[in-house]
Amino acid sequence: QVQLVESGGGLVQPGGSLRLSCAASGSIFSINAMSWYRQAPGKQREFVAAISSGGSTNYADSVKGRFTISRDNAKNTVYLQMNSLRPEDTAVYLCNSIVTSTGRSTSDYWGRGTQVTVSS
């Protein structure tokens, strides 16, 4: 099986920064795309950023220029550097990854999420 575990969330003041990490573990042959989503209370889950196996990135307009997604293939980890944080960035941030297992099956996986709260 494959597991995704997020870390790095917390409480930060507006204008501050956080770096989220998501580490994949288990029976991994290769990791294809990795991405971040977020969900605030009472709101639908929304796309934040994604990175392909080749390093191509994509961002939601709301975070473009403030957030940076990156990956460390040796560690099977994706990062989300969050700068210039705003109160509206407050949400549970979830990691998503498309993983090919050692059994050569490809599936979509989700982490449980990490809370980010931006407040003064």
Side-chain angles (χ1 to χ4, degrees):
Q1 292 185 339
V2 175
Q3 299 83 38
L4 302 179
V5 179
E6 302 97 335
S7 62
L11 176 65
V12 65
Q13 294 183 338
S17 298
L18 285 173
R19 190 180 77 154
L20 306 183
S21 299
C22 172
S25 62
S27 303
I28 299 171
F29 178 78
S30 64
I31 300 177
N32 301 315
M34 303 187 80
S35 61
W36 289 94
Y37 289 74
R38 66 187 183 186
Q39 188 167 22
K43 296 184 178 180
Q44 64 182 6
R45 186 172 298 178
E46 67 174 338
F47 169 79
V48 176
I51 185 167
S52 72
S53 60
S56 179
T57 59
N58 189 36
Y59 298 92
D61 288 342
S62 60
V63 307
K64 195 171 297 181
R66 299 187 297 122
F67 292 8
T68 302
I69 189 170
S70 61
R71 62 192 290 170
D72 185 335
N73 292 330
K75 296 181 178 180
N76 291 331
T77 299
V78 62
Y79 304 95
L80 186 67
Q81 179 65 48
M82 309 165 66
N83 298 326
S84 302
L85 284 162
R86 305 164 179 169
E88 53 263 41
D89 294 319
T90 296
V92 173
Y93 283 71
L94 302 109
C95 177
N96 175 261
S97 183
I98 300 172
V99 178
T100 300
S101 71
T102 54
R104 304 301 180 92
S105 64
T106 300
S107 300
D108 178 75
Y109 294 91
W110 289 91
R112 293 185 177 182
T114 185
Q115 176 71 46
V116 172
T117 302
V118 184
S119 177
S120 60

